[in-house]
Amino acid sequence: MSSNPPQSPFSLNLPSYGFPTHNQDHPSFQLSDYLIDDCSDESVTPAVTSSSPNPMFENFHYANQFSSTDPGSSSISTDYGVMKKIKLESGFRIAFRTKSELENLDDGFKWRKYGKKTVKNSPNPRNYYRCSNGGCSVKKRIERDREDRNYVITTYEGVHNHESPSVIYCAPHQNLTVTSSDTSPLEVPQTWSLQQPAYSQV
DNA sequence: CGCTTTTGACCAGCGC
DNA sequence: GCGCTGGTCAAAAGCG
């Protein structure tokens, strides 16, 4: 089929998975929690159950709890390793909650809205977006947290098969470690650097 | 003029 | 089988 395989998650090219990047235009953006959809991967320990602060996330695992051999901190590369496996075996979906006034966070990709739906038990509508790049089937859903409207819940489905059309942030090393706790939100590490898409560097 | 957004309709899956 | 719900489609409108 396509001779352009998806980028390796281990390159930590976050926007290739649709992660919002730290945007200087929107300094209020703050990456708080990574959540990964229930993936039937036995190596992943369910970290969020009925005690989840938001019932919507009962089937999600906090990514920062993935690294069972390294409690207290998490390696993002480890997390992506899990995600990659999900991708290969069943396709994957990743969701996270961000504290932002903006609903549609700038993740470096162009998205085309194709639907809007009010969901049961939520006062906030859910918006559906599709990557505008031809041939790319990545989708994302965006909705406000029903319990705390300060938070935006973004769910990505699929992997981009192309570079981000805009400037992105990339981690300098594969084994970047982000220390986090249950109470302090994760932020984009300062060690990440601005990086142009590969095609713009030639 | 081309692209995006809006929005009602339609469809599929699921529970009863 | 029926109704509910979530996801998608597609035509019309809006915008640069």
Side-chain angles (χ1 to χ4, degrees):
Chain A
M1 201 184 122
S2 171
S3 59
N4 187 18
Q7 299 164 18
S8 166
F10 291 96
S11 70
L12 276 177
N13 186 352
L14 296 182
S16 73
Y17 283 87
F19 284 93
T21 55
H22 188 272
N23 190 326
Q24 292 176 323
D25 294 332
H26 307 297
S28 64
F29 167 72
Q30 188 178 58
L31 196 60
S32 60
D33 294 304
Y34 286 102
L35 299 154
I36 294 184
D37 201 351
D38 194 354
C39 57
S40 72
D41 186 331
E42 293 181 359
S43 67
V44 177
T45 303
V48 181
T49 57
S50 57
S51 61
S52 170
N54 187 335
M56 178 181 293
F57 296 145
E58 283 183 4
N59 294 324
F60 288 75
H61 309 295
Y62 278 103
N64 63 16
Q65 305 258 356
F66 271 10
S67 183
S68 58
T69 59
D70 191 14
S73 67
S74 66
S75 164
I76 285 184
S77 60
T78 298
D79 299 342
Y80 285 118
V82 174
M83 289 165 57
K84 184 180 183 181
K85 188 172 184 180
I86 300 167
K87 160 62 183 169
L88 292 176
E89 293 180 355
S90 60
F92 78 87
R93 176 191 304 163
I94 180 165
F96 52 87
R97 202 168 66 127
T98 52
K99 187 173 187 176
S100 172
E101 296 176 6
L102 299 173
E103 288 196 14
N104 196 355
L105 300 169
D106 183 0
D107 54 20
F109 288 89
K110 280 189 73 176
W111 299 92
R112 186 166 52 87
K113 191 174 184 176
Y114 68 90
K116 180 182 180 181
K117 196 82 176 176
T118 53
V119 292
K120 191 184 177 186
N121 295 328
S122 175
N124 310 312
R126 177 180 294 166
N127 295 300
Y128 299 89
Y129 296 85
R130 185 172 285 152
C131 183
S132 330
N133 191 287
C136 181
S137 59
V138 176
K139 300 171 193 172
K140 74 172 177 179
R141 296 193 296 255
I142 298 177
E143 66 180 296
R144 289 243 166 234
D145 190 327
R146 74 183 76 172
E147 293 188 353
D148 187 347
R149 290 179 58 86
N150 290 320
Y151 287 87
V152 176
I153 299 165
T154 307
T155 306
Y156 289 93
E157 221 174 295
V159 181
H160 293 283
N161 60 4
H162 56 95
E163 297 276 2
S164 167
S166 65
V167 173
I168 57 177
Y169 273 83
C170 286
H173 305 297
Q174 289 187 2
N175 293 324
L176 172 71
T177 297
V178 176
T179 303
S180 63
S181 70
D182 289 340
T183 54
S184 63
L186 286 169
E187 295 186 25
V188 177
Q190 292 184 350
T191 51
W192 294 10
S193 59
L194 270 174
Q195 185 169 317
Q196 295 289 344
Y199 64 82
S200 68
Q201 295 177 337
V202 291

